[in-house]
Amino acid sequence: MKYVTLNNGVKMPQLGFGVYQIPDLAESEKIVSEALKAGYRLIDTASTYLNEEAVGRAIRKSKIPRAEIFVTTKVWIEDIGYEATKKAFQTSLDKLGLDYIDLFLIHVPFGDYYGSWRAMEELYKAGKIRAIGVSNFSEDRLVDLILNNEIKPAINQIEIHPFRQQRRALEVNKEYGVQVEGWAPFAEGNCNIFHNEILMPIAEKHQKTVAQVILRWQIQQEIVVIPKSADVQRMQENFDVFDFELSEEDMTQISYLETGFKIINHLTVDIAKSFNEMKILRA
Ligand SMILES: NC(=O)c1ccc[n+]([C@@H]2O[C@H](COP(=O)([O-])OP(=O)(O)OC[C@H]3O[C@@H](n4cnc5c(N)ncnc54)[C@H](OP(=O)(O)O)[C@@H]3O)[C@@H](O)[C@H]2O)c1
């Protein structure tokens, strides 16, 4: 496993496992257990994924020392603001059954996220969180947050895949010392990604799969990647990406795949409205 060092010195695995769209608790516990067996040590969940309890149970049952597993969760808009975020953090901690979280993120940049950030700075200073960060922050929002607060985000988790390469975001995050983590590395299977005419020959040349090429392409750009798979064989396949290297020519070929396709465009009125209306279906 390769690790990245965040701007506060904390080490984070560069390849992790995402658990979005697995809300069934028994199923997600089983999947996370399999992921830990496959070697993943970074698990990415969120209060909105409704599976924090299952992630916590799988971690405890694995008997892997807590310090070896890097757990990320996120605060949703419903819990945005200083007081609400402190409460939501404790709820996530309780659901996970942990006594600290490795990385806590503001899920989307809507609502009083400055209030949330102040709460997160305090929780970080109190040792309850090892690193704090943001997700889906456009470059302008990221820089504004940095300029108006004491602690810089350690991470910005944003949508990155071959069709949305986020070159400008990568530059700006790097300039400000913020580690980029890419979500939906496979574009959630959209645009026939696994049968792409540029990716397939590159995969064949390296005797790897298209999925492995996509993950490698992100790893070589120093991005933290968190693919999701509910299938044991595919999660093992996605973990096996450290024994080959894409050439400069491969990287250039992949750069031509940018189309501007977005799973979510956070800069639209529709998303601002629908996300503000979306509530966590807490039991
Ligand atoms: N911060 C945010 O706003 C945000 C938003 C979305 C996602 N995320 C995070 O990013 C993680 C990953 O993104 P995602 O889950 O949306 O999508 P993704 O990882 O791009 O794609 C998952 C899809 O790819 C399939 N797949 C996985 N490995 C494969 C392989 N080797 N070959 C063929 N198909 C494969 C999966 O099917 P199977 O399961 O059947 O293998 C699933 O349908 C999430 O789980 C979540 O942790 C964050």
Side-chain angles (χ1 to χ4, degrees):
M1 176 55 60
K2 276 182 72 182
Y3 286 78
V4 294
T5 303
L6 304 179
N7 59 22
N8 65 351
V10 165
K11 284 196 163 35
M12 174 180 189
Q14 202 185 344
L15 170 66
F17 188 75
V19 296
Y20 179 44
Q21 292 175 357
I22 326 174
D24 179 83
L25 289 181
E27 191 195 351
S28 40
E29 182 183 328
K30 191 167 156 271
I31 290 170
V32 175
S33 298
E34 293 292 353
L36 292 169
K37 269 190 222 149
Y40 291 89
R41 291 294 179 268
L42 156 59
I43 309 291
D44 184 85
T45 184
S47 52
T48 44
Y49 301 173
L50 306 176
N51 53 21
E52 289 170 310
E53 293 101 317
V55 169
R57 272 202 294 274
I59 290 173
R60 278 189 301 284
K61 285 187 186 167
S62 75
K63 307 275 187 241
I64 297 165
R66 168 68 184 94
E68 288 177 22
I69 303 179
F70 191 101
V71 181
T72 304
T73 194
K74 316 184 186 88
V75 58
W76 186 244
I77 317 169
E78 187 181 347
D79 297 317
I80 220 72
Y82 179 84
E83 290 298 341
T85 292
K86 282 210 160 170
K87 211 168 140 215
F89 171 77
Q90 191 58 49
T91 303
S92 286
L93 203 61
D94 293 345
K95 281 185 183 276
L96 285 158
L98 301 175
D99 50 16
Y100 68 88
I101 287 171
D102 294 279
L103 178 64
F104 194 49
L105 304 178
I106 295 177
H107 204 146
V108 283
F110 296 126
D112 177 20
Y113 58 83
Y114 281 81
S116 295
W117 192 253
R118 284 193 297 280
M120 289 161 67
E121 286 181 328
E122 287 181 16
L123 291 162
Y124 170 73
K125 287 181 188 167
K128 293 279 188 187
I129 312 173
R130 294 177 68 225
I132 53 177
V134 297
S135 179
N136 299 305
F137 272 49
S138 56
E139 297 86 276
D140 59 320
R141 290 196 180 213
L142 177 83
V143 173
D144 188 60
L145 186 79
I146 291 172
L147 295 178
N148 288 291
N149 286 285
E150 187 192 335
I151 301 177
K152 260 191 207 182
I155 284 276
N156 188 9
Q157 187 184 110
I158 55 177
E159 178 184 337
I160 306 184
H161 44 72
F163 311 123
R164 187 178 188 190
Q165 306 198 0
Q166 299 267 28
R167 291 194 195 99
R168 178 72 186 138
L170 288 173
E171 272 173 29
V172 174
N173 280 269
K174 189 169 184 180
E175 185 186 335
Y176 283 85
V178 180
Q179 171 68 51
V180 171
E181 182 175 24
W183 64 255
F186 307 136
E188 296 182 353
N190 282 291
C191 310
N192 206 16
I193 194 165
F194 298 110
H195 297 99
N196 182 275
E197 58 187 18
I198 287 185
L199 297 172
M200 284 203 305
I202 296 175
E204 202 175 321
K205 186 176 79 181
H206 292 280
Q207 298 190 320
K208 286 285 181 180
T209 64
V210 165
Q212 289 169 324
V213 166
I214 294 168
L215 296 173
R216 190 68 212 178
W217 166 74
Q218 300 212 22
I219 287 167
Q220 286 183 212
Q221 293 179 85
E222 297 172 11
I223 297 165
V224 173
V225 278
I226 44 169
K228 172 259 169 186
S229 178
D231 176 85
V232 176
Q233 222 173 333
R234 286 193 286 278
M235 60 176 86
Q236 288 168 350
E237 172 187 327
N238 297 343
F239 194 73
D240 181 22
V241 291
F242 293 102
D243 64 347
F244 75 112
E245 190 144 1
L246 297 174
S247 66
E248 251 175 66
E249 172 59 20
D250 298 332
M251 297 294 279
T252 305
Q253 285 292 316
I254 299 172
S255 73
Y256 298 142
L257 289 175
E258 167 75 56
T259 59
F261 166 79
K262 297 176 177 66
I263 295 170
I264 301 175
N265 184 352
H266 291 85
L267 301 177
T268 59
V269 172
D270 283 351
I271 289 292
K273 277 166 68 179
S274 64
F275 276 19
N276 268 286
E277 283 161 10
M278 197 177 124
K279 303 288 175 219
I280 304 168
L281 302 166
R282 287 195 171 113

